[in-house]
Amino acid sequence: MFDDLDIFAAVVEHSSLNRASRQLNLSQPALSRKISKLEERLGVSLFNRFGKRLELTEVGRLTYTYALEQRQQRSKFLEALSKFKEGEPQLVTLGASLTTLQTTLPPLVNAYMNKYPAAELKLITGKTHEIVSAVNEGKCDVGIIASSIQEPGLRCIPLFEDQLRLVVSEHHPLTLTAKLTMEHLSRLPMILFSKGTWYRRMTDELFQRCGVDPDVRMEIDSFEAIVRLLPTIKAAALLPKSYLRPELLNGGGLVSLHIKELEQTQRTTCLIYQGSGGLSTAARCLVQVTEEVFLDGRE
């Protein structure tokens, strides 16, 4: 029936049995029989015939629309099948925390899509333990988390080390201080990450160890929002070094300052996936690109 629908669509598009028969390399009688057979199978008339002129009936217009939809679906299927046979990646689901999304994913996604432009990437966000569970349960093919884990059945590959840096406006008084310590953060107006997040727990633990009581002006879970607000409210923030690209600092009139005690905030960003060897082609390609982006040339 689907071949007959293609033939019917060709007749509609050529507005002539004669022209359609030449395009389809069929004799006109054979083409007429196929159209009649399709009408018989559907139990309706698709054309009103006025001599050699054909005019679609109302159900004929409906059938033509359906024929076009089938043609498009078949084309997509054949394209996907071809890529599958060639080993091209298709859909892959990547899980990442919101903070990892902002620091790690932009260069990774760019590299992956540049190498495999036809691939489809689905992103799931959540807290670290949620991403670990999603990979374990097969809801995510690959995960990127802001910590190193030892989880049965999962491979955990360290990608890079990170730590917090103090970020202020280039006109902030702290930029004139020769040697900063954690004591400089006491009563300092600051924007902190939202409570309950990994970054907030880490900074709160650090403040407690160092006896620091900052003046918390805002709590936000977006690095971008924090960066935009710093110059406006003349506050400081603790942000991961991996996020502080030179163009971000220079473009926003910001400065990244080092404090010795912030080295205690070092954490490892890792790639995780199931170690059973059941990765799809798309997932294997994403793992390979991730290693190329973050591990090649590291040594």
Side-chain angles (χ1 to χ4, degrees), residues 191-255:
I191 304 176
L192 298 185
F193 226 64
S194 300
K195 290 181 179 179
T197 60
W198 184 87
Y199 274 106
R200 181 58 183 270
R201 289 197 300 272
M202 182 171 60
T203 53
D204 285 348
E205 290 170 3
L206 178 67
F207 290 151
Q208 186 175 12
R209 285 198 304 271
C210 298
V212 171
D213 183 22
D215 178 7
V216 181
R217 297 293 177 89
M218 292 185 180
E219 297 174 313
I220 305 174
D221 61 358
S222 166
F223 291 152
E224 182 179 357
I226 292 173
V227 164
R228 289 179 178 273
L229 287 167
L230 285 179
T232 304
I233 66 172
K234 300 178 182 179
L238 296 177
L239 297 175
K241 184 178 178 181
S242 61
Y243 182 69
L244 302 175
R245 300 177 296 278
E247 62 271 20
L248 176 71
L249 295 172
N250 298 335
L254 301 173
V255 178

Side-chain angles (χ1 to χ4, degrees), residues 110-136:
N110 287 337
Y112 181 68
M113 298 310 295
N114 285 337
K115 190 168 185 178
Y116 302 107
E120 296 181 53
L121 186 62
K122 179 180 178 181
L123 180 65
I124 294 177
T125 60
K127 295 182 173 63
T128 293
H129 72 275
E130 294 172 335
I131 299 304
V132 172
S133 296
V135 174
N136 247 330

Side-chain angles (χ1 to χ4, degrees), residues 5 7 39 51-52 96 103 105 108 112 115 121 165 202-203 217 232 269 273 292 299:
L5 284 173
I7 290 171
E39 290 179 318
K52 293 184 178 180
T103 59
L105 289 196
L108 171 58
Y112 181 68
K115 190 168 185 178
L121 186 62
R165 301 272 293 190
M202 182 171 60
T203 53
R217 297 293 177 89
T232 304
T269 293
Y273 56 90
E292 290 172 356
E299 298 181 356

Side-chain angles (χ1 to χ4, degrees), residues 41-79:
R41 293 179 64 184
L42 295 175
V44 294
S45 294
L46 301 174
F47 293 103
N48 290 317
R49 294 163 174 81
F50 303 96
K52 293 184 178 180
R53 186 167 64 87
L54 299 176
E55 182 181 282
L56 279 174
T57 62
E58 184 175 350
V59 73
R61 288 190 289 272
L62 178 64
T63 304
Y64 179 60
T65 299
Y66 177 71
L68 293 182
E69 292 172 352
Q70 291 300 313
R71 180 190 290 172
Q72 292 170 353
Q73 289 297 322
R74 184 164 61 252
S75 177
K76 290 180 181 178
F77 167 71
L78 292 175
E79 182 181 356

Side-chain angles (χ1 to χ4, degrees), residues 124-295:
I124 294 177
T125 60
K127 295 182 173 63
T128 293
H129 72 275
E130 294 172 335
I131 299 304
V132 172
S133 296
V135 174
N136 247 330
E137 296 167 7
K139 296 177 181 177
C140 287
D141 299 302
V142 178
I144 297 182
I145 56 176
S147 61
S148 182
I149 63 165
Q150 291 184 340
E151 184 81 11
L154 294 186
R155 288 201 63 188
C156 181
I157 301 176
L159 298 177
F160 61 88
E161 302 294 331
D162 205 0
Q163 61 182 249
L164 294 179
R165 301 272 293 190
L166 181 67
V167 182
V168 296
S169 165
E170 60 187 357
H171 303 298
H172 197 283
L174 285 182
T175 60
L176 303 176
T177 305
K179 185 177 180 180
L180 289 171
T181 67
M182 290 297 293
E183 292 179 2
H184 288 96
L185 303 188
S186 286
R187 308 313 307 163
L188 178 71
M190 296 192 72
I191 304 176
L192 298 185
F193 226 64
S194 300
K195 290 181 179 179
T197 60
W198 184 87
Y199 274 106
R200 181 58 183 270
R201 289 197 300 272
M202 182 171 60
T203 53
D204 285 348
E205 290 170 3
L206 178 67
F207 290 151
Q208 186 175 12
R209 285 198 304 271
C210 298
V212 171
D213 183 22
D215 178 7
V216 181
R217 297 293 177 89
M218 292 185 180
E219 297 174 313
I220 305 174
D221 61 358
S222 166
F223 291 152
E224 182 179 357
I226 292 173
V227 164
R228 289 179 178 273
L229 287 167
L230 285 179
T232 304
I233 66 172
K234 300 178 182 179
L238 296 177
L239 297 175
K241 184 178 178 181
S242 61
Y243 182 69
L244 302 175
R245 300 177 296 278
E247 62 271 20
L248 176 71
L249 295 172
N250 298 335
L254 301 173
V255 178
S256 170
L257 303 175
H258 178 69
I259 297 178
K260 179 68 176 177
E261 290 89 342
L262 291 182
E263 294 176 4
Q264 301 172 28
T265 65
Q266 183 161 301
R267 55 111 196 226
T268 304
T269 293
C270 295
L271 171 73
I272 61 171
Y273 56 90
Q274 290 190 7
S276 59
L279 287 177
S280 66
T281 299
R284 287 197 302 271
C285 289
L286 181 58
V287 168
Q288 180 183 1
V289 171
T290 303
E291 293 176 342
E292 290 172 356
V293 169
F294 296 105
L295 299 183

